[in-house]
């Protein structure tokens, strides 16, 4: 995850590179920007000739917003990269950003009141976890989606966010209590374009609850 040190629009907090675009982490959710520009550049690099229609770059933007998020901008980062990036953009040297390291783990405390959002990049997938602290209502977590071609939950409980380039898949969530690792039954609940979590058997609200979906891109 690449931090925004002032080199991008201030709505962007962090950026994640994808094979067909990028994922932007913002104050109230995620924006996915997909494009076939990289593929077209690869064809040109290998000597392929593209027609005028093929030369046009196609793109698709999808947004996933956390409804009612109260995050104030504080972050806790871990697992810094050994490499860094330099952003030398424009002629104003005061705006150049140098030696900007990336991170594999990002925690956003109080993303909702009493609920932390944790993002971790592992083996080509992005896992985000929601840490619900004791005596906090997990029902306040809701995500609304826009820009997709279709949105549905499959028979295995996975959420599919379909677009012109791929499916963004949020794997069926798992949940457990942090104190004793006891599993808690949890399912996605989709109403229109709004996603939430359903706990059919309830859980012990006096313990910290961890909800753990995983994002993949097909």
């Amino acid at each position: 995850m690449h931090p925004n040190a002032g080199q991008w629009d201030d709505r962007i907090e962090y950026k994640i590179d994808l094979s067909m675009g990028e994922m932007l982490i913002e104050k109230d959710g995620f924006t996915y920007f997909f494009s076939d520009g990289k593929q077209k550049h690869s064809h040109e690099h290998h000597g392929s000739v593209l027609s005028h229609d093929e030369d046009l770059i196609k793109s698709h933007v999808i947004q996933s917003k956390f409804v009612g998020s109260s995050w104030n901008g504080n972050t806790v980062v871990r697992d810094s990269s050994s490499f860094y990036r330099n952003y030398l953009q424009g002629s104003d040297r005061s705006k150049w950003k140098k030696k900007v390291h990336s991170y594999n783990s990002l925690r956003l405390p109080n993303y909702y009141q009493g609920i932390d959002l944790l993002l971790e990049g592992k083996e080509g997938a992005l896992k985000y976890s929601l840490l619900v602290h004791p005596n906090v209502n997990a029902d306040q977590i809701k995500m609304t989606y826009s820009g997709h071609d279709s949105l549905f939950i499959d028979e295995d409980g996975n959420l599919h966010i379909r677009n012109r380039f791929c499916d963004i898949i949020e794997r069926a969530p798992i949940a457990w209590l942090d104190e004793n690792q006891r599993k808690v039954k949890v399912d996605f609940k989709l109403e229109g374009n709004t996603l939430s979590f359903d706990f059919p058997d309830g859980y012990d609200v006096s313990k910290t609850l961890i909800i753990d979906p995983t994002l993949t891109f097909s």
Side-chain angles (χ1 to χ4, degrees):
M1 285 167 274
H2 315 306
N4 185 2
Q7 73 274 24
W8 301 317
D9 186 290
D10 60 10
R11 289 172 295 182
I12 301 170
E13 300 293 329
Y14 289 81
K15 185 182 289 189
I16 298 170
D17 294 328
L18 305 175
S19 61
M20 289 192 68
E22 54 196 19
M23 176 181 174
L24 309 179
I25 299 170
E26 301 170 328
K27 285 184 171 62
D28 59 351
F30 311 139
T31 293
Y32 307 93
F33 177 79
F34 296 110
S35 168
D36 59 1
K38 289 183 181 179
Q39 288 183 326
K40 286 183 167 54
H41 177 75
S42 176
H43 285 304
E44 292 173 356
H45 180 72
H46 288 90
S48 299
V49 178
L50 301 177
S51 70
H52 175 71
D53 288 341
E54 291 174 327
D55 194 44
L56 296 175
I57 294 176
K58 300 179 179 66
S59 61
H60 199 124
V61 175
I62 296 171
Q63 291 188 310
S64 171
K65 298 296 184 182
F66 286 84
V67 180
S69 168
S70 59
W71 184 54
N72 62 8
N74 290 332
T75 61
V76 179
V77 293
R78 293 176 53 197
D79 196 6
S80 174
S81 62
S82 58
F83 62 89
Y84 58 81
R85 298 183 176 203
N86 295 319
Y87 298 91
L88 311 179
Q89 300 169 324
S91 58
D92 185 352
R93 289 176 174 266
S94 67
K95 295 182 179 180
W96 290 4
K97 306 299 176 182
K98 299 181 179 181
K99 295 187 177 181
V100 180
H101 289 263
S102 301
Y103 302 94
N104 280 330
S105 177
L106 171 65
R107 185 168 183 157
L108 311 181
N110 281 315
Y111 201 73
Y112 287 94
Q113 191 62 42
I115 301 175
D116 298 348
L117 176 63
L118 177 65
L119 299 109
E120 295 179 295
K122 290 184 177 180
E123 298 178 354
L126 178 69
K127 182 174 72 172
Y128 74 92
S129 305
L130 292 149
L131 283 65
V132 184
H133 293 284
N135 302 311
V136 173
N137 186 2
D139 292 342
Q140 64 183 302
I141 304 170
K142 289 182 171 61
M143 292 158 280
T144 184
Y145 296 84
S146 62
H148 50 270
D149 291 334
S150 64
L151 186 70
F152 63 93
I153 295 174
D154 66 23
E155 61 185 11
D156 295 319
N158 305 313
L159 176 73
H160 291 251
I161 310 163
R162 184 153 291 172
N163 63 84
R164 69 191 302 173
F165 294 115
C166 67
D167 273 13
I168 305 169
I169 302 172
E170 295 199 30
R171 299 293 178 188
I174 59 174
W176 65 91
L177 299 177
D178 190 36
E179 183 177 290
N180 53 21
Q181 303 296 302
R182 180 179 178 181
K183 286 190 175 182
V184 173
K185 182 172 175 54
V186 59
D187 301 302
F188 281 137
K189 181 180 179 181
L190 184 62
E191 296 179 310
N193 292 328
T194 301
L195 184 75
S196 58
F197 298 100
D198 180 49
F199 303 92
D201 300 331
Y203 66 93
D204 185 352
V205 297
S206 69
K207 306 289 192 301
T208 297
L209 174 72
I210 299 174
I211 310 169
D212 203 15
T214 299
L215 279 169
T216 57
F217 302 87
S218 64

